[in-house]
Structures are given as C-alpha cells and as structure tokens.
Amino acid sequence: MKKENNSLNELLCGIEKPGRYTGGELNAIIKEQASFRMAISFPDLYEVGMSNAGIQVLYARVNAIEGAACERVFAAAPDLEKRLRDMGTRLFTLETRTPLSELDAVGFNLSHELLYTNVLQIIDLGGIPLLRAERGEGDPLVLAGGECASNPAPMSDFIDAFFAGDGEEGSAEIASSLMEAKAAGLARGERLARLAEIEGIFVPGLDGARARKRVYRGTAPAGPEKPVVPNIRVAQERAAVDITRGCGNLCAFCHAGFYDLPYRSLDPACVRDAVFRTLDATGYSELTLSSLSVSDYAHLAELLDDILPELTRRGVSLSLPSLRVDRESIPIIEQVSGVRRSSLTFAVESATEEIRRRANKRLSLDDLKEIVRQVHEKGWKLVKLYFMIGLPGSEGADEAGDIITLLKELVYITRKRLEINVTVSPFVPKPHTPFQRAAMRDRDYLLETVRRLRREAPKAVKIKSHDVNASVLEGVLARGDEKLGGVILACYNDGCRFDSWTEHFRFAAWEQNLEKMVPDWKRYLAARATEEALPWRVIATGFEKMVEARSAHRASNLRLPSRTRGALSEGAIKAGLDDFTRRYEVKSRARLALSKEGDARYIPHLDFIEVVKRALRMAGVPVSFTQGFNKRERLSAGFPLPLGVESQSELIDLDLWDAVNPDDIVAGLNRHLPEGVRALRCRELAPTEKDSIMAVTAAASYRVTDTGVDVRAALLRGLGERRQLHKETKKGAKEVTFAETVLGFSEEGDDIILLLKVGSAEAIRIDQAVTSLTGLGARELCAVRMIKTAQYALRDGARVVIE
C-alpha cells in the first residue's frame, strides 16, 4: 500500500506528465511488509527508463525474494526537480512513495555515459549524500551496473559498489547479501566487504579490488513473467524478448559486442513460450525480438515459422531492429514486413574499404549496391544508412569523399525514386574493445567531415548527425579515470542534467570544468601505449587476450560460426493472415463504461485509451479491426477528460467480430486494468444505436467535492452571479456566457453538482468552468476534486443518461 502523501496533489499540480511519478501500473509489485527495501533506477525520465528491459529483469528478480522489496525511481524532469526543492520534499519510489533516504539501497543501470549527472540528481533529490565518503551508517548503499560499469573510475566517488556483468546473475545474490547483513546488524563497511566477496562486484577504495564480469548462461530469456506495463506512453511501446546474448560479428569498435561476450543463443522453444507469456501479460500489439544481431540467430527461420502465424492471427506486429540486411535476409524481411515495404536499415559504418577491414565490418559495398537495387525494384520506399566517422585508419583516408561517392552511386541506381536517409556518428573508442587504445579524432575533423557531407551529398539524400560535442564528452567519460569525479560533480552543481537530450545538453559547462579541474583532459581521447595501465583494468571480462590479439591485427579472422539459413513457411503465415481477416467483420457492438479515479486521473486521455486496448487484448475480447495500411481496433470513445479530473462515466464503444457475454467483458477487463481504472458495466448496443458517443453526447455532470469552505463558497457565489466563463482554445482565450454553458447546478451535502454543455462551441472543460466561477489560480485548483458522474444525450428535447 502506498504511503499517504498529503502533498502529492500540490507536488504534481501543473507538472508536465504527472503520470511519470504516480506508479500504480499493471503488474507493479507492492510489498507492504519487507525487511529489506531498495530501489532500482534507469537514470532518465520515466518514459525512457521504463523502456529499458534490464530494469524489468532486476525488478522481478529481487521482488521474487521473500522479505525483499524492489521499487522503481527515475529522474525528475526540471519542473518536478524545482517543485521538490521548493517544497523541501524528497524524491520517492513509485510503489510505496518511500523517500530514497529511507531505503537500504539504491541501484542504477548505467547504460550510457551521458546519464551520469542524472544519477547525481536522483541521489541528491532523494536525500542521500552525493559523495560515498560522506555517507553514514543510516544512508542507503548506492550500487551501479550496466554497460558503463565496464569502467567504474569516473563515477567511483559516488557509487559504493559496482556490478560487472548480467544482472540476472547477481541481483538476487546482492539483495540477499544486503538483507542478511542488515538482519545481522553489520556496519556499512562490513556490508560492503561482504558484497566484495560476490563475483562481479567491485568496491572502490578496497585494496586490490578487481571484479570478473558475470555472464548469464541460461537457455531461456531472462525477462519477467509479468513485466510492469506503463500507464503513459513510453519510448518503446512493445513487448521485448531476448533471443541471443552477445554478438558473433566482433566489430572492433563495438563495446556491446565485446563486453557482452560470449555469444549465447537462446533455445527457440523457450523464446516462443516467453513471447506469448509476455504478450498475454502486457497486451502489447507489437513484439521486438532483441539481439545485437538478429541475423546471427541460428534458429531465426524456425522461430519465425513458429510464432508468426499466431502473431498474425492476433494482429501483433513484429520488429527485428538489428536484422542485418543482406541477400539472404531479404526474403525474411519481406515476409515479416508484409505489404508495408516501409524502410530498411544498413549499418555501413564506413564507405572506405580499408577502414571497414580494420574494424572487421564485413559488408561489401558491391553487395550493398545490388541489395539497394533489388529492394528498390521490389517497392521499398526508404533506405536508412548509418556511418561512423573517425574510425582507426581514417587519418589517411577521404572519409567524406568516399561516403559522397557511394551516395551518388546509390541515387543513380535508384533513379532518385528511393528515399535515402543517412545518419553520421563520430567513433568513440570504448573500454574492453580492440580499439580501446585507439585515439578519437579531434572535434575539428569530425565537424568538418559532417559539414562537407551536408554540402556535397546529393540533394536527394537527407543527412543527420549526432552532436559532435556530445560524442567528445562521451569519449572523455568512457575512457577517463577517478579525476573526472570532481568534474561530474561540478557540472551537476552548475545545472547539467539530461546530457543525452539535445535540448538540455550544455557542453560549454563541461568544457569549462574540464579545463579548470583537469587541464590536460584531452589526453583521455589520445592513443594509449601498449604498456599503459588502463583505468578499466579493475574489471576483467575474460576476453582480454582476444581483445589484445585483435588490436594487434593477429586475429582478424576471429568470428563465431556463421548462422544457419532457412526460408519461412509462406503457408503458415498465410493461414494466420486468413484467420485474422475474420477480425474485419462486425457482428455486434457493445458499450463499455469505466471509472478512472485516484491517481489514474493523471493518465492522459489517449494513454487511457491505450490502457483499455491492452486490457481488451489480454482479456481476449474479440474487438474488430479496420482494414487498410494501418490496421487498428475498432473502438470509439467520448470527449477527452481533462488531466487531473476523475470519472465514473468513461464510455467506449466496441465493434466485435464474435459474440461475447457483456458481463464476461467486464470481468475479463478488471483482471487486466491498472490501479484506479475499473470496468463498471457493459451492454450490447441495438442495431439502431449507430451514432458515436461523441455524436450523441450533449452534456456531462460533475461532482465538485472535497473542497475547502472558501472554495465551496466562492463556487456557489459564482454560480449565483451567473459569471461569464473563460475557456482556452487553440486560437486563444474565448468567452462564453453562463446560460449557454451551465445547464444546471445543485448542492448535495458538501458537494456541488454541475451540469455542463458538451460537444458544441459553447462547451467548456470542467476545470476551466471552476476557475472562471471561483477565480482560483491553477495551483489552487489542484486542491479541488472534480469527478465526472454521467454523460447525457438529448432525446425528444429531454436529457437522458447515456448508458
């Protein structure tokens, strides 16, 4: 049960996307009693963090331990950070709203260097001392894992213990160790000493500390049985299931490919089970098969043959984001894509042959040209090309010229009828890769290369580039040492946050602090001598000899066995598609009534509709689909409810392709809806009831309740005076008369019932009506509880409740 927070309304009043901070999602785990309580965080905004699969895995693993509770916390957007500081409120977890300072531990997934200042923000706002040296016995331990734990040095001033490797292997062991240490009353130093005994743990400051990376070697995807499903739209609105770990391509620049070694292929039967278990538990309409290189999965054709018919039958689309495009994968891509033929992506990396060879990027430009010609002839509309500039070997090459030449040839091949989008990224040498000792090209070279591409590339080609300054900072933080801790802290104190977001990134502040505190900071980007000790030597991957061999060009042919090939069964997919066509029919229609109360009032209207759609899918309700390019469920809702307003009368009409008992729809939905949302009733619509809810709705009633005496009196006074009302429209403020808008009002005890016009130019939102009538400001309005109680239609001149 969530802790009472009387100031929550005040805290979230006027905050952008308050649903980021309320929790209450489907499949969230709340443990009222726990002897050990921790939080896990992906240090970015909720919609980014909740798209991270690693968070879901760690959350489920720790919560599976009896007596242990794992909750979630994410970075605060600038408006909430200011509000927290102004109110003196500490950042809290989503599940029980526990301030971070009251937890036993807080863990971070560090997947990218530009998240570092966000980590400090979360620690700081949570009431935890920023520096580990300043934390006392009562402060939580601060832990970190993820890709950036491969070089713990830059963040070692702030993190008590790092975990290197796959969290599936260590999370439960770490939580159990801390829980036992707490029960035994061990001091902070003793708890850390115990953690250091766990394989994969590195504790800064311990003499001789070194960690060997842990590797998950299971044959089944490690994802949770029931992933938490966000109430608001997030960056990745889909189910994700692993099919491999690591990568067999061994591109010399790829940190993920080498740090995640060895390559592991998961069992296709286990993958299939995980796919449908995840879809059944989340209701997503899109599935991603996750892998660093889907094409290298030996059982790809077998797996797709197994799952595509059922996915097609359900109307679930499939995404293979890392499928390498080549002659042999085109047939698979075509069958997965169906008739859409939208876009293909090629990670070319370099248009210079020698650079590609050194990087072990095995893509022939002749093959690329031929594939582009083929896909153009087959009706594809868009090709996306990714290039990396500044790779080793670029010093003696004309990178921009080679890319421009290639683009001109592709434009000529496709006769300008295929759209070509190009993304250019600077090479950043990363730890534990064959290029870990290589230099990063200077900023001037990178900027000039991008400028030349923009000037000289064919006009038919769209060029996008990553922020060069952001890449420079990434290189500094990736290859830096303990001296960077002071820089990170100074930049945080100077206001740096969300450095991976273009609109928030402030390179000038970073550069100023680097120059002041580490004057020779550019050495982090310089080449490293073979005998030079590297800051990340404290982390052992077990593949150091392979990395050194490849960097010395003594093992350029290192590669795992090539994938097996296979064709998809067209018959099986066609059978699924034929079965799906049943969903185009409309055999009956039903009207669903739902409530949206408590914290669910912070779910925006469009996101609320998605919540209901997912619940309908999980409940197996036979909702019909539209036909055409973008197929979607046939349902329609009423007028949007303002954010922050509750409702006991949200109506949604459903077209159904098969008969179903309305009571079964209600029961099924209520097993799959999040906290605060409930299906109240459902009835079959008569054939004569063809108009949409919006078309028939003429009025809505609202209960204004839980208001202070002054607010209630002000509202009654405004109603009695029949004040002019002010509404905000897309064209600006507009005035509407009381008589045109307010159809009636009454008192019920301490509550006031308002009946407002809906669906016309004179209509006004309930929140705008209350502010107009009372003169309340936006912040004061948040103390007023408004609940939609019913919607009305006009029939023969009389208002009747829409059921």
Side-chain angles (χ1 to χ4, degrees), residues 285-315:
S285 61
E286 184 173 347
L287 167 72
T288 290
L289 295 181
S290 300
S291 170
L292 290 175
S293 180
V294 172
S295 310
D296 295 312
Y297 184 53
H299 311 286
L300 182 60
E302 171 191 345
L303 175 65
L304 293 179
D305 269 350
D306 196 14
I307 66 173
L308 267 176
E310 179 61 19
L311 294 178
T312 305
R313 191 172 292 114
R314 294 186 182 202

Side-chain angles (χ1 to χ4, degrees), residues 239-417:
V241 176
D242 283 345
I243 61 172
T244 68
R245 290 294 183 90
C247 182
N249 290 302
L250 301 179
C251 298
F253 54 80
C254 183
H255 179 264
F258 277 88
Y259 188 62
D260 288 351
L261 283 173
Y263 178 79
R264 290 144 287 163
S265 182
L266 303 183
D267 180 80
C270 295
V271 172
R272 184 197 189 282
D273 290 344
V275 162
F276 293 109
R277 183 178 66 243
T278 304
L279 290 173
D280 290 342
T282 61
Y284 284 121
S285 61
E286 184 173 347
L287 167 72
T288 290
L289 295 181
S290 300
S291 170
L292 290 175
S293 180
V294 172
S295 310
D296 295 312
Y297 184 53
H299 311 286
L300 182 60
E302 171 191 345
L303 175 65
L304 293 179
D305 269 350
D306 196 14
I307 66 173
L308 267 176
E310 179 61 19
L311 294 178
T312 305
R313 191 172 292 114
R314 294 186 182 202
V316 174
S317 61
L318 177 64
S319 172
L320 303 175
S322 59
L323 182 63
R324 188 172 67 247
V325 181
D326 56 28
R327 296 174 190 268
E328 293 169 302
S329 64
I330 286 292
I332 292 178
I333 295 172
E334 287 188 309
Q335 286 177 289
V336 170
S337 303
V339 298
R340 298 186 66 168
R341 300 286 196 276
S342 53
S343 69
L344 290 174
T345 299
F346 299 84
V348 184
E349 310 305 356
S350 177
T352 306
E353 192 66 43
E354 173 59 19
I355 295 176
R356 284 201 314 283
R357 188 192 68 78
R358 289 186 63 174
N360 198 38
K361 187 67 183 180
R362 303 189 177 191
L363 172 69
S364 161
L365 295 187
D366 289 337
D367 280 351
L368 172 64
K369 295 170 192 175
E370 178 58 24
I371 293 169
V372 169
R373 185 190 63 78
Q374 289 182 20
V375 299
H376 168 246
E377 292 176 352
K378 291 175 178 289
W380 293 81
K381 305 298 183 186
L382 171 64
V383 163
K384 300 177 182 178
L385 305 177
Y386 286 85
F387 292 95
M388 187 176 289
I389 57 174
L391 281 161
S394 62
E395 299 84 358
D398 181 8
E399 283 196 284
D402 290 342
I403 294 173
I404 291 164
T405 298
L406 174 60
L407 294 177
K408 288 180 178 178
E409 292 179 18
L410 295 179
V411 169
Y412 177 77
I413 289 170
T414 62
R415 298 185 295 278
K416 299 184 180 180
R417 294 177 185 170

Side-chain angles (χ1 to χ4, degrees), residues 3-13 15 80 83-84 87-90 92 97 601-602 779 782:
K3 294 181 180 179
E4 289 298 325
N5 190 340
N6 295 330
S7 62
L8 183 67
N9 285 347
E10 183 181 356
L11 179 68
L12 299 183
C13 180
I15 293 294
L80 183 72
R83 185 71 56 79
L84 286 166
M87 293 177 59
T89 301
R90 290 180 174 177
F92 48 80
R97 293 183 186 146
R601 69 189 184 277
Y602 293 120
R779 292 292 298 274
C782 293

Side-chain angles (χ1 to χ4, degrees), residues 433-553:
T433 69
F435 287 162
Q436 63 182 346
R437 294 182 182 272
M440 182 173 176
R441 297 299 301 268
D442 64 75
R443 194 181 344 176
D444 290 343
Y445 170 80
L446 298 171
L447 288 170
E448 177 53 34
T449 302
V450 171
R451 282 194 289 263
R452 186 178 166 197
L453 287 173
R454 293 186 183 278
R455 285 195 313 265
E456 300 180 25
K459 292 183 179 179
V461 176
K462 296 179 181 177
I463 304 287
K464 293 194 302 183
S465 65
H466 287 197
D467 187 320
V468 168
N469 288 329
S471 295
V472 168
L473 178 59
E474 180 185 342
V476 169
L477 295 175
R479 291 155 59 84
D481 53 27
E482 291 84 354
K483 291 182 179 179
L484 289 177
V487 176
I488 295 169
L489 179 59
C491 289
Y492 170 73
N493 288 331
D494 286 345
C496 290
R497 311 280 193 278
F498 301 103
D499 297 300
S500 60
W501 294 64
T502 302
E503 60 267 38
H504 295 291
F505 182 51
R506 297 170 53 206
F507 183 69
W510 282 96
E511 192 170 34
Q512 180 180 357
N513 283 304
L514 282 167
E515 293 286 355
K516 179 180 178 181
M517 306 180 77
V518 190
D520 62 342
W521 64 271
K522 290 183 181 178
R523 66 183 169 83
Y524 294 130
L525 305 176
R528 309 287 176 93
T530 304
E531 65 275 9
E532 182 180 348
L534 301 171
W536 48 92
R537 66 190 181 281
V538 296
I539 303 297
T541 67
F543 292 90
E544 282 75 14
K545 290 184 179 180
M546 174 189 285
V547 168
E548 290 298 332
R550 285 184 55 75
S551 65
H553 299 287

Side-chain angles (χ1 to χ4, degrees), residues 582-597:
R582 295 178 57 203
R583 298 174 183 248
Y584 295 146
E585 301 178 39
V586 178
K587 291 190 174 180
S588 65
R589 300 178 67 238
R591 177 161 294 158
L592 181 64
L594 303 106
S595 63
K596 180 184 175 188
E597 299 181 280

